[in-house]
Amino acid sequence: MVEHERQVAAGAGQAQVVEPAVPEEYGKVEGRTQRQIFWRRFKRHRLALVGGVVLLFLYAAAILAPWIAPYGYDEIDVTALNQPPSLEHPMGTDRLGRDELTRVLYGGRVSLMVGLCVGVFSTVIGAVVGIVSGYYGRFVDSTLMGFTDYMLVLPFLPLLLVLGSLFQFTPVTITFALVVLLWMDLARLVRGQVLSLRDQEFVLAARAIGVSDLRIMFRHILPNVVGVLVVKATLAVALAILLESAISYLGFGIQPPTPSWGNMLTDARATMTTQWWLTVFPGLMIVITALCVNFVGDGLRDALDPKAVE
């Protein structure tokens, strides 16, 4: 009897505990990179996706204009004056017989490139001023923000018109003028973000271990304000395109024969009711570009928002 009980006890000790079966996929935890999270959020914004595709198409068409344009932008054809859209001239011709499609493509090279350069350079200047001002504070902050406030009170559109009347604007000079006048809002916005970040634990820890101020500003603080920078950069692109078009429309911007969407509207002002295509197509390009840039800005804001819910 005793021997039998020992055998039963030994058998019980050797018995294996059978765990309930768990599906294999429940045991897998897949992490996402920052790039994957960004793309997952951005593609939810369908208008931003469409706007991004349209912008890429417009920039590609502008860059490739010398190869895809059917005619020269200043090529005159006296046998095709003021013709409406047709198979030979899909966007019609102007009063000198120049092909409107060609001029829209070449005009996009000026308007789009001015907008892109202004967006990039004004963002860089505003970011540097805002980060340095917010990080150091005190005298540096009061000096830089005082200068920023002084620049903000300048009426930049009348100032651009005065500069355009004194000096003939080229794509380079109008880009420089717009960069000088469009960095201030971003600087103040970045400064406010940096003021809330400079006393955070990760900044204090970096200071404690002897990290340089320059590295803290541009290696630790800058990535935390990149969302604001990207969104404001897209808005600056749209604003620069609209301002360049407005200045050219008023006759103080890019001068003929170099086409831009703004001076094309100026040329069509007198024949707006009779040759509608001369107004509709460059105006439509301005509207589409501004809308797409704003849609992309909205998508980037949502994708880069750290408080967004997955």
Side-chain angles (χ1 to χ4, degrees):
M1 185 66 180
V2 175
E3 185 66 25
H4 177 69
E5 291 177 355
R6 288 179 179 175
Q7 293 177 357
V8 172
Q14 295 175 357
Q16 296 182 354
V17 178
V18 180
E19 297 181 355
V22 178
E24 185 178 354
E25 59 269 18
Y26 290 138
K28 295 180 179 179
V29 178
E30 296 183 359
R32 294 193 184 98
T33 64
Q34 290 294 326
R35 185 177 301 176
Q36 290 172 331
I37 294 173
F38 167 81
W39 175 244
R40 181 184 177 89
R41 292 176 178 175
F42 183 77
K43 69 181 181 180
R44 291 176 184 169
H45 202 298
R46 299 302 173 85
L47 288 177
L49 283 176
V50 174
V53 172
V54 173
L55 280 178
L56 288 176
F57 174 78
L58 291 176
Y59 272 98
I63 293 171
L64 299 175
W67 294 276
I68 64 177
Y71 305 94
Y73 71 87
D74 56 353
E75 183 177 340
I76 297 174
D77 184 2
V78 295
T79 64
L81 304 179
N82 294 322
Q83 288 189 355
S86 61
L87 292 177
E88 186 177 1
H89 300 284
M91 292 186 180
T93 61
D94 63 6
R95 58 187 175 84
L96 298 177
R98 296 174 296 189
D99 182 66
E100 190 73 359
L101 173 59
T102 299
R103 291 181 62 78
V104 166
L105 290 174
Y106 275 93
R109 300 191 80 182
V110 174
S111 297
L112 293 173
M113 294 308 166
V114 167
L116 180 62
C117 292
V118 170
V120 171
F121 291 118
S122 64
T123 300
V124 171
I125 295 173
V128 172
V129 172
I131 290 175
V132 172
S133 177
Y135 182 79
Y136 286 109
R138 298 184 179 180
F139 176 75
V140 175
D141 183 33
S142 60
T143 302
L144 290 178
M145 286 300 104
F147 177 72
T148 302
D149 292 339
Y150 172 76
M151 293 293 294
L152 277 172
V153 301
L154 293 177
F156 62 87
L157 186 56
L159 182 60
L160 285 173
L161 296 179
V162 171
L163 292 175
S165 63
L166 295 176
F167 310 100
Q168 183 175 348
F169 273 140
T170 64
V172 174
T173 55
I174 198 170
T175 299
F176 177 78
L178 289 173
V179 168
V180 170
L181 296 174
L182 291 181
W183 58 269
M184 294 82 71
D185 286 336
L186 180 62
R188 293 192 64 84
L189 188 61
V190 171
R191 174 207 178 240
Q193 296 285 321
V194 175
L195 286 175
S196 65
L197 290 170
R198 67 179 184 179
D199 294 325
Q200 296 289 327
E201 288 80 0
F202 68 95
V203 176
L204 298 177
R207 287 176 182 166
I209 62 176
V211 178
S212 65
D213 290 342
L214 191 64
R215 184 174 178 82
I216 291 175
M217 286 188 288
F218 295 100
R219 183 67 179 84
H220 298 281
I221 294 179
L222 180 60
N224 288 278
V225 299
V226 70
V228 174
L229 294 177
V230 172
V231 174
K232 290 296 290 184
T234 57
L235 298 179
V237 171
L239 180 59
I241 292 173
L242 293 174
L243 285 174
E244 185 277 324
S245 300
I247 296 168
S248 297
Y249 177 76
L250 295 173
F252 297 96
I254 307 300
Q255 299 299 313
T258 302
S260 74
W261 291 339
N263 65 28
M264 289 176 68
L265 290 175
T266 302
D267 292 341
R269 185 168 48 188
T271 59
M272 190 176 298
T273 57
T274 55
Q275 283 91 40
W276 56 267
W277 56 91
L278 300 179
T279 305
V280 168
F281 291 114
L284 192 61
M285 292 298 103
I286 295 172
V287 173
I288 289 174
T289 303
L291 282 175
C292 289
V293 169
N294 282 284
F295 288 151
V296 171
D298 290 340
L300 292 173
R301 180 195 60 201
D302 296 341
L304 295 169
D305 185 4
K307 298 180 182 179
V309 179
E310 279 292 311

